[in-house]
Every structure is written in C-alpha cells, then in structure tokens.
Amino acid sequence: MRNDRRWIPSITLVLLLALTVISVQVNTASAHEGHSFYVGVQVPVERVDASYDKTVDNTEASNPRRGQVFHDNDSDDTFAYGIGFLVGHRIPLLTKEDGFYVSAEVDLAFHGGQAKGQLQGVGTSAGRNQPGESWPDRWSFEKDRSYGFTIKLGGSPGVLRSWDTSVYVLGGIRLIQAQFKNHYRGCLHVVNCTSTDQPEFVSGTDSRNLDYTAWTYGAGVERMLGEHLGLRVEARYTQYNSKRWVEWFEDVGVRVPTRIDADEVGLLLSLAWYF
C-alpha cells in the first residue's frame, strides 16, 4: 500500500491557524467596518462518479499473447455523505450597508460512500484470466476525507436584504484523500493455467491511497437566523485530477497502465456562527 498524504493535514493546520490569527486581528482593528470572523459545521451530500481504466500491454511479453494489447474499463457512481468543520473571514466589498462581500474559508470534511464494480475482462480464454489477459477484477473507490480553501463573492440585492438573505458564487481548491482497491484472480505463469483448483492461479487485493487535487465551483444562498447565526445551502461541482500508474510484471513481461478518474456534484448544508 502506498501512502504519500502525510503532508496534507500539516498544511491544513497551518492554513487554519493563519486564517484564525489574521481574522482575529482584523476584527479587533476594524470591527466598525463590518469584518466578520466565523466558524461552523457542514454536512456534504454528493454523487461521486468514479471510473477505472486498465490496459494490459503484452508488447514485451513471454506468454502466448505476446504482441497484443487488451483494454478494459468500468465506472460507477455512489452517494457520499459526511460531516465537516469550517472557519472563515468575511469582508464587505464597499460598506457594510451595501450588503456585498467577499469571504475566504478553509474546511475539513470526513466522507463515507463507496463506488464499486467489476471489469468485464478482455481476452481469448473463457474466464479471461490467463497470462497476459485483462482479468475481470472487482474494484472499489472510496472517498475518505477532504480539505478545502474557498473564495465566495455575494450580496443581498433587492428584496433579499429585507429577508436577511444573501446569494453568492464560489470557487476553490480541494485536497481529497481516497482509497482504491482492486480484487484480482488469475494466472501469472508464462503458459496457461489449466484448473482453478491448482495453486498456479493467484488471487489478492491491491489497495492504493490516492491524493487528488480538485477544483470546486458552485453557488449558494444564506439566510440569517438571528444576528450571528447563518444557515447556508450550496450546490457544488468538483472535478478531480486523473491518477495514473503502471504495474510491471517482469516474470511474464507484461505492463499494466492504470487510470482512475472521478468527479462529483452535490449539496452542502452548513451553519455558520459570526463573531
């Protein structure tokens, strides 16, 4: 299992501390200008779409299928849900009375939900599980947690101001931690395996931690429930970057390039307390 995500929590903690210090200092010095520091909780509900793309390249193989290339892919979507925490700072664009503002916030969210499926398998044997073929692997993709930095631009035009309601657009970047698992069973010998009862067929699970950088876009509406408490509903779209790697099976001379793509669309419900 590969794990290269240990730096993400450290960066997130630094961002949280820096934003907190800056916000407190600005609020203390400029409270009369309408600057607002806030903290809150959030509940994300998303539809996550993941795709698994595998190529088995026998160009340099020593098995009966040398010189062939097999390509297979599968996709699935699932609803992910979770809970998170946020901290941010809002600044009026002109004056507090105009109602227009820009805010910056960081957040940490924990997620649950798993996309999963099975490849068809590509090859010439009945089970597509002989050396050099694309085996019918079972796979899963699970989003674990994410860290975000978001900028929001909003205001209360027209009648919205009398309703203590504002609308806004948003954009930001997210660091997403996910896990991909691949369950396989097939033959890794140079020649074909003859029976599934024989030990020449191998099986196992390949588990890989994936760290994605993702761009988020969306829009939201916020209704103040009092002087300090705001209720928000946001619609968001998040596009992950692709993850690619190559497995090399030296004994049989087979390369297996793999790619995992994902994106998500969903709603974010949050409560923010303004100081």
Side-chain angles (χ1 to χ4, degrees):
M1 180 184 296
R2 188 180 63 175
N3 191 340
D4 54 358
R5 58 174 68 165
R6 291 172 293 179
W7 54 274
I8 298 180
S10 299
I11 291 179
T12 304
L13 180 60
V14 171
L15 287 173
L16 286 168
L17 292 175
L19 185 57
T20 301
V21 171
I22 293 173
S23 299
V24 171
Q25 290 177 342
V26 172
N27 280 330
T28 302
S30 308
H32 63 284
E33 297 179 2
H35 296 262
S36 299
F37 169 71
Y38 60 89
V39 297
V41 295
Q42 59 186 13
V43 178
V45 179
E46 307 129 345
R47 193 199 70 178
V48 179
D49 187 3
S51 63
Y52 172 26
D53 189 279
K54 182 178 77 169
T55 300
V56 179
D57 186 347
N58 293 291
T59 304
E60 303 177 22
S62 55
N63 63 66
R65 293 163 186 83
R66 57 184 172 270
Q68 301 182 67
V69 177
F70 299 107
H71 179 258
D72 204 354
N73 63 76
D74 188 34
S75 63
D76 187 42
D77 58 71
T78 186
F79 279 99
Y81 50 88
I83 188 170
F85 309 92
L86 59 90
V87 57
H89 185 248
R90 174 179 292 185
I91 303 174
L93 283 179
L94 299 174
T95 66
K96 185 177 180 180
E97 288 71 24
D98 293 322
F100 294 95
Y101 61 86
V102 61
S103 64
E105 69 182 46
V106 293
D107 70 271
L108 164 65
F110 301 91
H111 307 271
Q114 185 181 82
K116 57 186 177 181
Q118 183 169 5
L119 298 177
Q120 290 290 323
V122 181
T124 57
S125 70
R128 289 94 62 203
N129 58 0
Q130 295 295 337
E133 296 182 326
S134 177
W135 302 345
D137 302 335
R138 291 182 296 109
W139 63 275
S140 65
F141 177 91
E142 185 172 9
K143 182 180 177 182
D144 294 330
R145 69 185 67 181
S146 64
Y147 308 81
F149 174 74
T150 307
I151 299 293
K152 301 179 180 181
L153 177 64
S156 303
V159 70
L160 291 180
R161 184 168 179 81
S162 63
W163 295 347
D164 288 330
T165 300
S166 66
V167 293
Y168 55 89
V169 294
L170 62 91
I173 187 171
R174 298 199 70 80
L175 303 177
I176 298 171
Q177 298 180 354
Q179 187 175 69
F180 173 76
K181 290 184 179 180
N182 186 53
H183 307 275
Y184 59 86
R185 179 172 176 79
C187 180
L188 280 177
H189 286 197
V190 176
V191 297
N192 286 357
C193 299
T194 57
S195 172
T196 57
D197 295 329
Q198 297 184 13
E200 53 201 3
F201 279 86
V202 297
S203 61
T205 301
D206 178 27
S207 180
R208 183 175 292 261
N209 294 327
L210 303 178
D211 295 325
Y212 287 95
T213 302
W215 295 101
T216 296
Y217 312 93
V221 58
E222 181 179 45
R223 174 69 185 275
M224 296 302 297
L225 304 180
E227 184 178 357
H228 299 288
L229 185 63
L231 173 65
R232 304 173 180 174
V233 179
E234 298 175 3
R236 294 188 172 203
Y237 171 74
T238 303
Q239 177 64 58
Y240 299 25
N241 63 320
S242 294
K243 284 297 179 182
R244 303 169 185 260
W245 65 89
V246 178
E247 297 283 356
W248 170 245
F249 297 90
E250 187 174 0
D251 292 343
V252 292
V254 174
R255 295 173 63 253
V256 183
T258 301
R259 187 181 75 194
I260 306 296
D261 291 312
D263 62 8
E264 66 185 50
V265 59
L267 293 176
L268 182 68
L269 178 67
S270 60
L271 283 171
W273 182 264
Y274 292 88
F275 295 89

